[in-house]
Amino acid sequence: MSISRRQFLRIAVVSAASASLGATASQAATESADIDPSGATGAPKISRVRFPQSVASGDPKPTSLILWTRVRSDSGADVSLRLQVAKDAAFAKLVVDTELLASAEHDHCLKVKVVDLAPYTNYRYRFLYGSKTPVSSPVGRARTAPLADADVPVRFGVVVCQDYIDGYYNAYALMQNRDPNLDFIVHLGDYIYEYDHGTGGEGDDIAARAIRFPDQSPGAWVKANWEQGGKDSKAARSLENYRHLYRVHHGDRMLQRIHERIPMLLIWDDHEFSDDCYGASGTYSNGRIKEYDPERRRNAQQAFFEYLPVDEDFADGIDDTQALDPPLNDTYRSTAKPGRGCWRTLRFGRHLEMFLADYRTYRPDHLIPEDAFPGQVVLDKAALIALFEAQYPGQGAAIYAAQSGSFSAYTALSSLPAGYADHAAAYTQVLMGVLTQVYLAEGLTATKAQAKATRDLSGPIAVRWFNGLLAQYNATVPPAQQLPPIDSATESKLERGLDYTLLGKTSFFSSVGARYGVVKATYDLLAAARYKGRPEKVLGAQQQAALDRFIATSDASFLCLASSVSTASLVWDLTEVDEFAPIGFNQRFLANVDHWDGFPTRRQAILSALQERGKTFVVSGDIHASFLTQWRPDPGNLNAVADFTATSISSTVFNRFVELTVEALSDLLNTPEMQAKARELLVDGLDDTLKSGFANVYPHSELRYALTRENGYAVIAVNADQVQATYRTFPHAQAKTPASNTGAGLTVTTARFRFDGREITAI
């Protein structure tokens, strides 16, 4: 699907070489709720009703800024606006004074790239509506970046995940009070959440911040919750509904105050399109339906570029017509440019260059399908021996023999063991019938349920699932009609392999055991077999090549990789917990493989390249928790890579997600001892559990800081010699009511660290 740039908001380019309309209306603006243009006199007054989303700036470069606004049109027609940019608050020293058009085609959004500005210079800007007695937008402030050789420190904020219906943006009030003079803010995604009127949010929704889509027609939204007993929720699909989400989020006054004062660098994560997405595919149904929807993705990205101050001039010499990689999505094109996402690089003086990565557009599907039949054997005996042989030449068969007891005995309907093969037709009919009924109960149509059951039973099946499905049938018929299960003596003689149950996939159509809570040891085996030891194609060929060049050629003192998701490995190491042994939970689990834990080989390759270069760090988010990771992939190299992971602005915190998961597993954690131990390790002691689990897996690296219960943000300061990070957070409960404009009354936790390229130390 090729997308023409003509379908998207064109950035108007304006030069600051001259102020073309002169210095009229140059008085400082004054605030007013709304103004009737026919009655205004004197200085232009600020009208937040005329400019309901205020103003914003972004992507500062030494000689340019992106400026943005949206104007309300009384008639719905195009609106003529006047942009003024000045070096002073009174707008007496104008460098731009020009007329521009906010078109109805793009929801009256106007995005302007002002060029020929002076480096490292503060500017004021505003948009004027009306000619004789104009009213003004709120006045914005922005500073251009320093020149590439300027010896100046850089200080920037890191924010992520601002679910509007889940919490107030009190973190921005705190930032405005504690950190008002940042050079810029990096927003790592989830600027909007794609849900309707509070039904699909990720936490305890706030009724006063409910959102309802203006377009409720069929095809304008998609079903966002398929779980039985869950919320009847909707997610945006149409362009109008995505635009509405930006209008609402952009209308928050806390957020507006930040946009009016500090430029932002923005990338998307998943919620700008669809939760846990990959390419143009969503994951709401957990495999019940196919969610590949390039039109929906196009709408999401069009709204992103219309409503946010993102520079679309990604001129870096890369062929932007190349098809997406991997082939799973090769008919889809990014909507900023064909074949491009939102990735780009920006330089801030001598000491910092940043690569803003696009993790979602080019990545493949999650390794474990959400709709996987748990009893399906994905690596049989031959595949396991081949894998071990590739890893340890000459030892494959011996390793398999030594480890076979940890795998599942399996059979197949086409090759049942002796004593059962004579009844193959009966077994096939029974198991097909039972599994088809399971899929019908999960919402599949009769045709799709039968087709899926046929596929799932066509290959090797773990004996435990063969017998389990058979038991469901036998429980419904008289003894004379029952079929015998495979007995233990026969089972002990069968070959053994890796089925999805051993990966943690114990239920049908579920994200648990697919995207969350997977068994680390078996996941690593499956990843090694699928990717054959090669780094996974996460970023796509073009972006990966650009990142490689960035690491190899930048001469900045420090390099920063901005990733929407964290590189921190979140390991629940329960191997020594005896209480979990009866249900097989005494293993190491990866909490979230939608993150970089899902692509361990590519993560290792990127971190190794960053370590080899030296003086490199990552800023990341999405996980709704604060982490600080010190990576040293090569223990013999004194260089390290720091990952500063910022928590969410308002979204439900990671600790609460884990708590809800533990509560949902109450049927499995079926004794008081198990439930108490699960709460002790995974809720009350989650931070320490994550740090110890990380240490057990990565002895030469360290999860230095973990705080999973609080909202907030991070601030990064960079000079020639070091990076300093400050985490400012407060309890999630304090995001449920609006704070003052200064954040007064918040119970703030502050943590500070220093990183010199080799070691992280607490300050």
Side-chain angles (χ1 to χ4, degrees):
M1 177 180 177
S2 181
I3 304 296
S4 168
R5 280 179 61 81
R6 289 177 295 179
Q7 295 174 263
F8 296 90
L9 175 61
R10 291 177 179 271
I11 299 180
V13 179
V14 175
S15 173
S18 63
S20 59
L21 296 183
T24 58
S26 62
Q27 301 96 330
T30 58
E31 182 79 47
S32 177
D34 193 26
I35 298 298
D36 176 4
S38 63
T41 59
K45 294 185 178 180
I46 291 173
S47 171
R48 291 190 180 274
V49 173
R50 182 61 63 188
F51 295 92
Q53 282 73 39
S54 191
V55 297
S57 65
D59 282 14
K61 296 179 182 178
T63 60
S64 68
L65 287 165
I66 303 296
L67 306 180
W68 178 92
T69 194
R70 178 178 177 271
V71 63
R72 180 176 61 83
S73 171
D74 295 328
S75 66
D78 296 350
V79 177
S80 179
L81 294 177
R82 185 172 174 182
L83 170 64
Q84 293 185 330
V85 182
K87 290 186 175 182
D88 64 319
F91 284 83
K93 300 176 181 179
L94 289 172
V95 298
V96 170
D97 190 2
T98 189
E99 289 187 356
L100 298 161
L101 194 68
S103 71
E105 181 184 5
H106 296 294
D107 208 25
H108 300 100
C109 293
L110 177 60
K111 188 157 60 171
V112 185
K113 184 172 186 176
V114 182
V115 299
D116 300 319
L117 296 170
Y120 209 45
T121 300
N122 292 312
Y123 290 94
R124 305 293 179 107
Y125 64 95
R126 65 187 178 191
F127 297 86
L128 301 179
Y129 171 86
S131 54
K132 293 183 179 179
T133 52
V135 294
S136 173
S137 70
V139 174
R141 297 182 295 186
R143 181 161 59 194
T144 50
L147 291 170
D149 61 353
D151 183 10
V152 295
V154 180
R155 191 165 178 267
F156 64 94
V158 182
V159 300
V160 67
C161 300
Q162 50 189 48
D163 189 346
Y164 184 87
I165 62 178
D166 196 12
Y168 288 91
Y169 293 167
N170 296 336
Y172 285 129
L174 181 65
M175 177 182 285
Q176 182 179 331
N177 180 39
R178 299 284 187 92
D179 303 285
N181 297 315
L182 300 172
D183 291 293
F184 57 89
I185 295 170
V186 178
H187 198 302
L188 295 170
D190 295 348
Y191 187 96
I192 64 165
Y193 278 62
E194 74 274 31
Y195 304 114
D196 172 84
H197 65 76
T199 62
E202 295 190 331
D204 302 319
D205 304 333
I206 299 173
R209 289 170 75 82
I211 298 173
R212 184 166 179 80
F213 292 149
D215 187 354
Q216 294 284 334
S217 62
W221 54 272
V222 297
K223 185 176 180 180
N225 192 333
W226 290 70
E227 304 307 316
Q228 294 182 358
K231 298 176 182 178
D232 182 18
S233 59
K234 299 175 182 178
R237 184 178 185 275
S238 69
L239 177 59
E240 171 57 20
N241 284 341
Y242 276 113
R243 284 172 169 172
H244 180 69
L245 291 166
Y246 281 98
R247 290 194 291 265
V248 172
H249 286 68
H250 241 313
D252 184 275
R253 284 292 295 121
M254 297 289 192
L255 177 58
Q256 287 182 0
R257 290 187 181 99
I258 290 295
H259 272 307
E260 290 161 10
R261 289 164 173 80
I262 307 172
M264 272 196 187
L265 319 181
L266 298 112
I267 56 176
W268 56 59
D269 189 38
D270 51 346
H271 285 290
E272 284 84 359
F273 167 49
S274 190
D275 186 25
D276 287 355
C277 62
Y278 57 97
S281 294
T283 59
Y284 300 125
S285 72
N286 287 323
R288 292 176 178 88
I289 62 171
K290 298 298 182 184
E291 296 184 55
Y292 175 70
D293 192 344
E295 179 67 16
R296 181 179 178 226
R297 179 84 194 201
R298 186 193 72 84
N299 291 336
Q301 293 192 197
Q302 178 169 339
F304 176 92
F305 284 109
E306 286 177 337
Y307 270 85
L308 297 177
V310 176
D311 190 353
E312 297 176 47
D313 182 13
F314 305 142
D316 53 14
I318 296 177
D319 175 12
D320 62 28
T321 63
Q322 180 176 320
L324 283 188
D325 188 7
L328 179 67
N329 289 301
D330 64 5
T331 59
Y332 166 73
R333 301 288 188 273
S334 165
T335 58
K337 284 186 176 182
R340 294 299 305 272
C342 61
W343 58 271
R344 57 205 188 275
T345 60
L346 289 167
R347 179 72 177 251
F348 300 92
R350 185 184 301 175
H351 305 310
L352 177 66
E353 189 164 11
M354 181 177 295
F355 189 103
L356 294 112
D358 180 346
Y359 177 80
R360 293 289 172 182
T361 302
Y362 311 95
R363 57 158 290 166
D365 191 1
H366 304 88
L367 186 61
I368 304 172
E370 293 86 351
D371 65 338
F373 168 45
Q376 180 182 346
V377 174
V378 287
L379 295 178
D380 61 13
K381 176 182 177 180
L384 286 169
I385 291 175
L387 174 60
F388 294 141
E389 184 68 23
Q391 295 174 331
Y392 306 97
Q395 303 179 56
I399 294 173
Y400 172 81
Q403 297 188 9
S404 62
S406 62
F407 297 116
S408 299
Y410 64 86
T411 186
L413 290 172
S414 60
S415 56
L416 291 171
Y420 300 88
D422 292 344
H423 305 288
Y427 281 113
T428 300
Q429 182 179 0
V430 166
L431 267 61
M432 276 286 299
V434 172
L435 198 54
T436 298
Q437 288 301 314
V438 170
Y439 294 156
L440 286 171
E442 290 285 351
L444 271 62
T445 65
T447 300
K448 290 184 177 180
Q450 187 171 22
K452 178 169 170 53
T454 300
R455 290 193 305 271
D456 291 344
L457 296 174
S458 63
I461 309 164
V463 169
R464 75 167 72 85
W465 279 90
F466 181 98
N467 286 345
L469 294 174
L470 189 62
Q472 292 185 43
Y473 165 77
N474 286 342
T476 65
V477 297
Q481 297 178 25
Q482 294 176 4
L483 292 172
I486 295 176
D487 59 61
S488 57
T490 302
E491 181 179 0
S492 67
K493 300 174 184 177
L494 296 175
E495 294 180 346
R496 292 178 171 269
L498 176 64
D499 65 323
Y500 280 119
T501 301
L502 294 180
L503 288 151
K505 189 77 171 67
T506 60
S507 58
F508 301 93
F509 302 103
S510 173
S511 60
V512 177
R515 305 196 300 273
Y516 311 118
V518 305
V519 178
K520 184 181 187 307
T522 49
Y523 186 89
D524 289 345
L525 278 179
L526 182 60
R530 288 286 172 84
Y531 296 115
K532 302 186 185 305
R534 296 188 294 269
E536 305 89 350
K537 296 180 179 179
V538 181
L539 302 179
Q542 298 171 15
Q543 183 179 192
Q544 186 62 57
L547 177 59
D548 293 342
R549 283 199 308 275
F550 166 78
I551 296 171
T553 62
S554 176
D555 63 353
S557 300
F558 280 89
L559 301 188
C560 173
L561 171 61
S563 169
S564 63
V565 300
S566 179
T567 68
S569 188
L570 304 183
V571 181
W572 298 328
D573 191 344
L574 309 179
T575 52
E576 303 300 322
V577 184
D578 294 337
E579 289 89 341
F580 294 155
I583 59 172
F585 270 31
N586 54 334
Q587 303 187 67
R588 287 175 179 164
F589 291 87
L590 294 172
N592 185 346
V593 293
D594 182 58
H595 280 196
W596 280 108
D597 266 340
F599 303 111
T601 308
R602 177 58 69 187
R603 176 180 60 191
Q604 175 81 2
I606 291 173
L607 291 173
S608 294
L610 291 170
Q611 182 191 24
E612 181 65 24
R613 193 273 183 187
K615 297 181 77 171
T616 57
F617 65 97
V618 179
V619 292
S620 63
D622 188 64
I623 194 61
H624 305 185
S626 298
F627 295 117
L628 174 51
T629 312
Q630 179 172 288
W631 285 106
R632 189 169 277 116
D634 177 1
N637 187 332
L638 294 179
N639 292 334
V641 182
D643 183 335
F644 303 101
T645 303
T647 189
S648 54
I649 288 289
S650 60
S651 306
T652 295
V653 290
F654 183 59
N655 191 285
R656 177 58 176 159
F657 283 140
V658 178
E659 183 178 30
L660 292 171
T661 301
V662 169
E663 293 172 359
L665 293 174
S666 59
D667 289 344
L668 282 173
L669 304 170
N670 53 18
T671 68
E673 292 77 15
M674 285 189 197
Q675 293 172 7
K677 181 59 71 171
R679 180 156 194 98
E680 174 191 338
L681 295 176
L682 300 180
V683 181
D684 300 335
L686 178 61
D687 298 354
D688 289 336
T689 296
L690 291 171
K691 286 192 282 189
S692 63
F694 186 98
N696 293 339
V697 175
Y698 302 99
H700 302 292
S701 300
E702 186 177 358
L703 185 60
R704 296 293 303 274
Y705 182 65
L707 185 62
T708 61
R709 294 176 177 270
E710 301 197 344
N711 295 118
Y713 63 94
V715 172
I716 308 294
V718 184
N719 61 29
D721 303 314
Q722 65 181 11
V723 177
Q724 288 192 12
T726 302
Y727 294 83
R728 300 197 198 279
T729 59
F730 53 88
H732 178 59
Q734 293 183 351
K736 294 300 183 180
T737 55
S740 69
N741 291 344
T742 64
L746 297 176
T747 306
V748 179
T749 299
T750 301
R752 294 186 175 91
F753 301 90
R754 179 185 295 114
F755 175 60
D756 63 2
R758 293 191 169 186
E759 290 290 338
I760 295 170
T761 55
I763 301 175

